[in-house]
């Protein structure tokens, strides 16, 4: 699906996106420090289309996932971490190894909006469904990346119908987002969840299982 | 439980732990870059003690989680991201806001060991149980931190008995690890999983639910 070309890696000495800090502290009398990154909290949404009995998820090329796979095959790319220059990747892997299935999600960076409102915006932008805030059900929240970011993620459940589809979704291509909306039929969903050949987040697996336990038993019988 | 004192934050210009890189590439014709961090893959283990019908998890003070909460209360600490100096935290929060419940886990940094062997080492080091590799059951794998790290996490299930307990666990205090082993009775586990007043990772919630679906129905009746 994706054409990924002209790859090159360079050390990143300053980034608008990665903002590392060091916390110095004393824990139970012992002096310590810990390097962490500031990030935003986030929301993610399990979307179930009742018209067609399928989950609506997104997939996109994730450079960080791709680089993990690339390093597995070409560890020499990172062998000299001190060098300043650009390492061209002469023998890249297919882009597919970095394409990841995820729940519709977004960061919490609008102080005037509730988590639910941000979630509804993401559903519209990424997946094209206009969902009233009252349709959202909070599943739970938890901590992500406890070693490095520690931010809070809140997971919602939203039921949608074909009538609520008002656009194509896909995110903001003008900002470089290339998000593909994917429908996973309910009947295939647990097989998909545990099929490791499709790279995916734990959020997909967890929320599909949550649905099986909490929603599926109450669905009208076909 | 933890005494956390003398907190100070400083920008982190160079870190042994956070190694940022920039990937430059062309996606479907458009030039892009993405900042990411190199990390290790990891393993985590849902441990169930059959002697006492409880889950064995760990809890520890997580500076990154603590800082997220601190920023919620004191956003001014980060208001000038360019300054070079140290910001002392005059009015810290209780350490408890950064203490997180997690599955026993570890990074994959020993090329000679299998994932299962690394998992068994972590179970012994962190929780004090000596588990044969053959006792491990792989649940699945998934991608974590797809925006920043993208590393692969593999989740295992291990049953233990009181007879397998050979030590106290707790990690490597000499390396600064302060890990507390916590037992969650099976009968309280789903209430605990969804109680957001206990900060925890999605791995805890997901694996407890996985147990309910996959293991609990086969447990001998009391």
């Amino acid at each position: 699906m994706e054409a990924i070309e002209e790859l090159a890696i360079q050390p990143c000495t300053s980034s608008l996106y990665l903002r590392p800090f060091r916390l110095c502290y004393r824990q139970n009398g012992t002096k310590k420090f810990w390097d962490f990154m500031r990030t935003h909290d986030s929301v993610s949404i399990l979307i179930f289309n009742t018209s067609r009995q399928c989950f609506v998820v997104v997939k996109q090329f994730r450079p960080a996932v791709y680089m993990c796979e690339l390093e597995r095959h070409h560890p020499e790319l990172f062998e000299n971490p001190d060098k300043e220059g650009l390492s061209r990747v002469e023998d890249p892997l297919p882009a597919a190894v970095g394409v990841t299935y995820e729940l519709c999600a977004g960061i919490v960076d609008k102080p005037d909006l509730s988590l639910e409102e941000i979630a509804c915006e993401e559903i519209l932008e990424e997946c094209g469904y206009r969902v009233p805030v009252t349709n959202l059900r909070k599943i739970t929240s938890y901590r992500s990346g406890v070693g490095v970011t520690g931010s809070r993620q809140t997971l919602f459940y939203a039921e949608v119908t074909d009538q609520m589809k008002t656009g194509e979704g896909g995110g903001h291509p003008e900002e470089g987002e290339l998000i593909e909306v994917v429908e996973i039929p309910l009947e295939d969903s647990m097989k998909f969840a545990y099929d490791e050949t499709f790279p995916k987040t734990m959020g997909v697996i967890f929320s599909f299982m949550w649905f099986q336990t909490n929603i599926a038993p109450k669905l009208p019988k076909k």
Side-chain angles (χ1 to χ4, degrees), chain A residues 121-137:
Chain A
E121 279 194 358
E122 293 295 338
I123 297 172
L124 182 61
E125 288 172 11
E126 294 193 347
C127 300
Y129 291 91
R130 189 172 296 279
V131 177
V133 167
T134 50
N135 274 32
L136 286 188
R137 170 175 167 182

Side-chain angles (χ1 to χ4, degrees), chain A residues 54-60 101 127 180-184 192:
Chain A
C54 65
F55 295 110
V56 180
V57 301
V58 295
K59 80 181 194 193
Q60 58 185 312
Y101 292 80
C127 300
E180 186 179 338
V181 182
V182 179
E183 299 187 342
I184 311 284
F192 170 82

Side-chain angles (χ1 to χ4, degrees), chain A residues 165-185:
Chain A
K165 185 129 195 189
T166 60
E168 288 306 309
H172 293 289
E174 73 282 6
E175 293 173 14
E177 275 190 332
L178 287 171
I179 293 174
E180 186 179 338
V181 182
V182 179
E183 299 187 342
I184 311 284

Side-chain angles (χ1 to χ4, degrees), chain A residues 46-118:
Chain A
L46 173 65
I47 304 172
F48 183 65
N49 181 317
T50 57
S51 307
R52 268 166 310 127
Q53 300 282 298
C54 65
F55 295 110
V56 180
V57 301
V58 295
K59 80 181 194 193
Q60 58 185 312
F61 176 72
R62 287 295 199 176
V65 173
Y66 183 85
M67 292 311 296
C68 277
E69 293 309 305
L70 195 64
E71 185 173 6
R72 233 183 280 283
H73 291 79
H74 297 291
E76 74 280 2
L77 284 170
F78 293 97
E79 258 162 23
N80 185 353
D82 293 325
K83 72 181 165 196
E84 290 300 315
L86 205 69
S87 299
R88 291 202 182 277
V89 182
E90 304 296 348
D91 179 23
L93 296 171
V97 303
V99 173
T100 308
Y101 292 80
E102 305 168 24
L103 295 179
C104 171
I107 60 170
V108 177
D109 60 353
K110 294 172 181 162
D112 297 339
L113 297 187
S114 68
L115 295 181
E116 287 77 4
E117 287 167 332
I118 291 173

Side-chain angles (χ1 to χ4, degrees), chain A residues 134-146:
Chain A
T134 50
N135 274 32
L136 286 188
R137 170 175 167 182
K138 180 175 165 184
I139 298 178
T140 191
S141 72
Y142 43 84
R143 295 290 169 165
S144 73
V146 290

